[in-house]
Amino acid sequence: MPNSNEAKIIWTKIDEAPALATYSLLPIIQAFTKETGISVETRDISLAGRIIANFPDRLTDAQKISDELAFLGELVKKPEANVIKLPNISASIPQLEAAIKELQGQGYDLPDYPREPKDEAEKQIQARYAKALGSAVNPVLREGNSDRRAAASVKKFAQKNPHRMMKDWPAASGGTSKARVAHMSAGDFYASEQSVTIDGVTNAKIEYVDGSGKAALLKDKIALLPGEVADCSVMQVAELRKFFSESIAAAKKDGVLLSLHLKATMMKISDPIMFGHCVEVYYEEVFKKHSATIEKLGVNVKNGLSDLYARLEQLPEAERKTIEDDIMAVYKTHPGLAMVDSRKGITNLHVPNDVIIDASMPNVVRDGGKMWNWDDELQDCIAMVPDRSYATMYQAIIADCQKHGQFDPSTMGSVANVGLMARKAEEYGSHDKTFEAPGEGVIRVVDDSGKTLMEQKVSTGDIFRMCQAKDEPIRDWVKLAVNRARASATPAVFWLDKNRAHDAQLIAKVETYLKDHDTNGLEIKIMAPVDAMAFSLERVRKGQDTISVTGNVLRDYLTDLFPILELGTSARMLSIVPLLNGGGLFETGAGGSAPKHVQQFVKEGHLRWDSLGEYTAVVASFEHIAANNNNAKAGVLADTLDEAVGKFLENERSPSRKVGELDNRGSNFYLGLYWAEALAAQSKDAALQQRFAPVAKALSENEQKIVGELNDCQGSAVDLGGYFRPDEAKTAAAMRPSATLNAIIDGL
């Protein structure tokens, strides 16, 4: 543990709405921590920052930035690590290309992204950009398992002031709901999964063997450690396309919307492939009739229907209009698609990163089993979640709502989560070990000795993926679950399915490692996800709390699902990652709504991003410093900030959605006011009390003036100088428009 009571907090510089909010909030935190033995500095892990860091050879000295993600990747392995991690863009290829284009326009000499590399030089460029794609950040920083829950003050406020977004299920009013989750019954990852626990240190390779026995290397030097769980599975594309076709027919017959729920941002290889197959099947008539033209244009269906529309612009108007008319004709014979933006005609199948399962499925539940249709009205839907590993869990909550009606945020219990994610625990496949089968044959995993560990039969285009979960993180995960169950006096449920190969390996380990801990008086269960969901929902409806103990996927899904229902947003979750080597990573919630918030701010100068997740993360960060650095001032800062958060909630100072009313900047002001008042009122630290008494007085006396300055500047467009890499001076000016507030804060 660190010996010095001096501590450094790293605040991650990221993207979109939370990045804008940082310009307003961070100066307050930095000012309040002066002379306390705590410093707060930023490190740039934004999408633009990650791109720039990968091309130093093409940039001027003034443009270059170091690889700060790599720096943080090393820091989180050290006991002194204390990182506030805000949500970053998990970039899809369209987002990557948009960021590159913006940076090029700002004078950065970056190459275009080669979607289909033509030579070795373009392959190298593509590989460098690949470092910024998908879930590039989280696996590097998460050197610990996840502890996500609603802070007590946040949950109490949510019950006292329930959000108003919940919509009735027809069951609650005597009607019927046709909503359901559709999933495959054969040929999916669940059906094919194989899993082994490794005996000793070895390396493995993945190779494809064709029908003649000729082997081709796909991936080499995969390091495996004793006790590590390794899996592989295959999605059969013939079965996948059959599933899509049957789901389309079922939705048409039932008169419901059709929607597809994947996570193409995080699963950047497998899920875009599945997305592309859905596009081809739904618009089959178009792709068959115009196959030659579509092939000539180089359309990439993995990027959605929008890629076809974009490439049609190259055609003569008459030819383009013919194809566009044929696309529109599909909607007359097919079920309606769920809409992302009905006003612009943007469907569920336009762009793979528009509908992300962990954010979209909670909204289906919240909205009574419905999604938005072409007429901008809510309509029952079939939600396609192809793989059965977790689709059944979503169907279980829909069935529960159809039977019992909508949940009540004012009375419902909480479902916290302890998630296995340390050391890149890859329970749903990793990008560098995911491949499309080149033909008929097998793909196998072979160790150093030549022994085949796992082997899968494949056909052309099938999706193979391998993943790993190391033993030390699994041990730590079990320990964290026991500790949380005891600390909260709450049942802890391991969501593990004995009929799934990966889970069967984990169940054996969990049963062994639980014996290392005192579990007397604790209620700890191991249940399949469907049963665990039913158990948790029964408790939720009684107002009782439960801890879900899950792998990395369900950590991702459940920590959006329940907070969106309970709190209205997952951004209000407290997310702590106790790092394996003693440090702390404090995450601030999800950023799924961040793009819409930026769009509103640029258009009308109002930022409705809620920074409550940042506030609670900072409290936990201070508590960590107080405990590990013997820094009493950090303890006072934590206690008073927690008190300020409670007052902030009670006085309803969260951002409004309307222009001219309190937005993120006003919320941050009120947090600063309440924090200063708490520091001035406390008696544990006389120096802090003396320092903040005049600050509290000045903020209080100028409250109306400051709020006026923050609200009056709204209502007109804002030029940030960029979306992915905004201009520092312009953004700072836009996010700190109150000269009165700035003078008080900067005066500290």
Side-chain angles (χ1 to χ4, degrees):
M1 290 292 169
N3 293 320
S4 170
N5 62 4
E6 295 287 324
K8 180 181 290 185
I9 296 173
I10 303 295
W11 187 282
T12 55
K13 181 179 179 181
I14 33 66
D15 313 279
E16 300 177 325
L20 297 182
T22 290
Y23 282 89
S24 167
L25 176 59
L26 189 57
I28 295 173
I29 293 170
Q30 288 174 322
F32 277 52
T33 52
K34 281 180 183 175
E35 301 174 17
T36 63
I38 301 169
S39 59
V40 187
E41 67 177 47
T42 61
R43 293 282 177 168
D44 188 349
I45 59 170
S46 65
L47 174 57
R50 302 193 314 265
I51 291 170
I52 293 167
N54 276 311
F55 289 92
D57 50 309
R58 301 179 65 107
L59 305 177
T60 67
D61 287 344
Q63 291 174 328
K64 291 177 186 177
I65 64 173
S66 61
D67 189 342
E68 301 200 324
L69 178 58
F71 168 82
L72 292 182
E74 290 304 311
L75 176 65
V76 293
K77 297 173 184 175
K78 299 175 182 178
E80 64 268 26
N82 191 310
V83 181
I84 305 284
K85 161 65 173 63
L86 283 76
N88 59 277
I89 291 176
S90 292
S92 63
I93 288 174
Q95 285 173 304
L96 176 72
E97 290 175 328
I100 294 167
K101 185 177 180 180
E102 178 179 303
L103 289 167
Q104 290 170 337
Q106 293 175 350
Y108 290 85
D109 180 26
L110 295 167
D112 291 337
Y113 176 77
R115 290 194 178 195
E116 297 165 5
K118 299 181 181 64
D119 52 35
E120 190 57 37
E122 288 196 350
K123 285 181 182 177
Q124 290 181 7
I125 291 170
Q126 188 186 60
R128 289 168 80 173
Y129 275 129
K131 295 177 182 178
L133 277 172
S135 182
V137 171
N138 292 338
V140 175
L141 298 186
R142 287 171 171 168
E143 275 288 311
N145 290 311
S146 169
D147 175 9
R148 298 202 73 188
R149 59 188 187 274
S153 59
V154 173
K155 178 63 177 177
K156 182 179 177 182
F157 174 79
Q159 290 182 318
K160 189 175 179 181
N161 302 272
H163 68 89
R164 300 180 180 88
M165 291 181 281
M166 304 294 261
K167 296 178 175 63
D168 283 342
W169 279 77
S173 55
T176 57
S177 164
K178 294 181 180 180
R180 66 180 175 90
V181 173
H183 57 74
M184 297 169 70
S185 57
D188 57 354
F189 292 121
Y190 180 91
S192 62
E193 189 171 64
Q194 298 172 20
S195 185
V196 295
T197 297
I198 306 302
D199 292 330
V201 176
T202 188
N203 285 288
K205 61 182 177 181
I206 303 172
E207 54 187 17
Y208 164 70
V209 184
D210 66 16
S212 68
K214 183 181 178 182
L217 183 67
L218 299 177
K219 175 77 176 177
D220 202 5
K221 297 178 182 174
I222 301 168
L224 297 171
L225 297 174
E228 185 164 357
V229 176
D231 316 318
C232 74
S233 56
V234 165
M235 170 66 73
Q236 297 176 11
V237 297
E239 289 291 332
L240 176 69
R241 292 175 73 98
K242 178 184 174 186
F243 160 72
F244 286 142
S245 182
E246 291 173 347
S247 297
I248 291 168
K252 181 67 175 177
K253 179 183 176 184
D254 291 350
V256 299
L257 292 178
L258 187 73
S259 56
L260 177 62
H261 302 260
L262 295 167
K263 190 155 188 178
T265 50
M266 185 171 287
M267 299 313 301
K268 63 183 180 182
I269 307 297
S270 61
D271 284 24
I273 296 171
M274 291 191 280
F275 188 91
H277 283 295
C278 190
V279 172
E280 285 187 339
V281 173
Y282 186 87
Y283 299 98
E284 183 178 15
E285 294 93 336
V286 175
F287 280 87
K288 279 185 176 178
K289 181 178 178 181
H290 303 285
S291 58
T293 302
I294 288 171
E295 185 176 350
K296 180 183 71 176
L297 291 173
V299 173
N300 187 344
V301 291
K302 297 175 188 175
N303 295 317
L305 187 66
S306 65
D307 194 71
L308 173 58
Y309 272 121
R311 292 173 189 268
L312 290 179
E313 295 295 327
Q314 304 170 31
L315 297 176
E317 184 176 352
E319 188 177 1
R320 173 180 59 78
K321 189 174 187 307
T322 296
I323 298 176
E324 289 179 347
D325 287 346
D326 286 343
I327 291 172
M328 296 307 294
V330 170
Y331 303 124
K332 296 177 182 177
T333 58
H334 281 46
L337 287 176
M339 301 301 292
V340 172
D341 190 334
S342 57
R343 291 164 296 180
K344 297 180 180 178
I346 298 175
T347 74
N348 180 196
L349 297 182
H350 262 60
V351 182
N353 54 280
D354 269 350
V355 177
I356 300 173
I357 184 170
D358 46 344
S360 59
M361 283 306 300
N363 288 347
V364 171
V365 177
R366 184 196 69 190
D367 291 340
K370 303 172 189 288
M371 294 186 75
W372 296 98
N373 63 21
W374 281 94
D375 298 321
D376 207 23
E377 296 173 344
L378 285 170
Q379 181 180 342
D380 281 355
C381 70
I382 289 180
M384 294 186 294
V385 182
D387 183 51
R388 274 174 293 167
S389 298
Y390 306 110
T392 54
M393 173 269 300
Y394 282 123
Q395 174 57 27
I397 191 170
I398 283 179
D400 182 272
C401 289
Q402 287 168 329
K403 183 176 181 180
H404 300 292
Q406 188 57 276
F407 299 97
D408 182 351
S410 69
T411 60
M412 66 188 294
S414 259
V415 179
N417 181 264
V418 171
L420 172 61
M421 66 178 193
R423 302 272 164 88
K424 304 179 185 179
E426 302 159 346
E427 166 235 352
Y428 52 153
S430 74
H431 321 308
D432 63 340
K433 296 184 285 294
T434 301
F435 303 96
E436 278 186 280
E440 302 283 330
V442 299
I443 296 180
R444 64 192 184 192
V445 181
V446 183
D447 72 9
D448 274 342
S449 70
K451 176 186 175 184
T452 297
L453 299 175
M454 296 172 286
E455 182 176 281
Q456 299 278 2
K457 287 184 179 181
V458 293
S459 298
T460 304
D462 286 353
I463 308 166
F464 170 95
R465 63 191 193 190
M466 176 189 170
C467 51
Q468 302 163 252
K470 292 177 173 57
D471 187 59
E472 183 190 355
I474 296 171
R475 287 177 183 267
D476 181 77
W477 176 56
V478 174
K479 180 182 76 173
L480 184 57
V482 172
N483 290 346
R484 287 301 310 145
R486 188 165 299 285
S488 60
T490 304
V493 182
F494 286 85
W495 293 45
L496 297 170
D497 180 356
K498 66 181 180 182
N499 296 316
R500 183 183 164 199
H502 166 88
D503 286 9
Q505 298 287 332
L506 284 191
I507 288 171
K509 285 180 172 287
V510 169
E511 290 176 340
T512 298
Y513 298 151
L514 280 173
K515 296 173 185 174
D516 296 337
H517 305 282
D518 176 13
T519 59
N520 285 330
L522 302 182
E523 188 176 354
I524 297 178
K525 298 176 178 289
I526 299 174
M527 306 174 81
V530 168
D531 300 326
M533 176 62 82
F535 175 81
S536 301
L537 294 180
E538 184 179 358
R539 292 180 57 82
V540 160
R541 290 189 182 277
K542 294 176 181 176
Q544 298 171 336
D545 299 340
T546 315
I547 299 170
S548 60
V549 190
T550 72
N552 211 353
V553 180
L554 280 176
R555 174 201 61 78
D556 211 23
Y557 293 179
L558 297 183
T559 56
D560 270 315
L561 175 62
F562 286 108
I564 286 173
L565 300 179
E566 294 175 39
L567 313 175
T569 172
S570 56
R572 290 189 160 198
M573 284 287 276
L574 183 61
S575 182
I576 299 171
V577 182
L579 298 171
L580 295 176
N581 291 328
L585 177 69
F586 307 95
E587 300 185 312
T588 67
S593 59
K596 292 181 180 179
H597 293 184
V598 178
Q599 291 163 14
Q600 183 183 8
F601 185 68
V602 169
K603 183 179 178 181
E604 51 193 23
H606 181 90
L607 184 67
R608 69 175 190 265
W609 176 259
D610 188 342
S611 284
L612 183 63
E614 288 98 286
Y615 306 161
T616 55
V618 174
V619 173
S621 172
F622 288 153
E623 289 172 343
H624 184 82
I625 292 169
N628 291 342
N629 296 71
N630 195 28
N631 184 325
K633 287 184 184 297
V636 174
L637 289 173
D639 291 343
T640 51
L641 179 54
D642 189 49
E643 184 181 332
V645 169
K647 192 171 181 180
F648 171 92
L649 291 169
E650 284 298 320
N651 289 317
E652 300 186 10
R653 300 303 188 186
S654 297
S656 163
R657 301 173 70 89
K658 296 181 180 178
V659 177
E661 297 180 356
L662 208 68
D663 75 349
N664 177 271
R665 296 165 292 186
S667 292
N668 293 337
F669 156 67
Y670 275 109
L671 181 84
L673 167 62
Y674 299 148
W675 192 8
E677 289 177 338
L679 282 163
Q682 57 82 34
S683 56
K684 290 182 180 178
D685 188 305
L688 285 173
Q689 183 185 46
Q690 185 176 2
R691 182 169 180 241
F692 280 94
V695 178
K697 185 172 184 288
L699 290 173
S700 178
E701 288 177 348
N702 287 280
E703 176 183 355
Q704 295 306 316
K705 184 179 181 183
I706 291 169
V707 170
E709 290 172 346
L710 295 174
N711 290 352
D712 292 347
C713 68
Q714 300 177 33
S716 55
V718 178
D719 175 18
L720 297 174
Y723 181 89
F724 295 96
R725 194 162 186 81
D727 179 88
E728 293 277 344
K730 289 181 178 179
T731 310
M735 288 305 300
R736 301 190 72 200
S738 169
T740 308
L741 174 60
N742 296 346
I744 297 169
I745 296 301
D746 296 345
L748 277 165

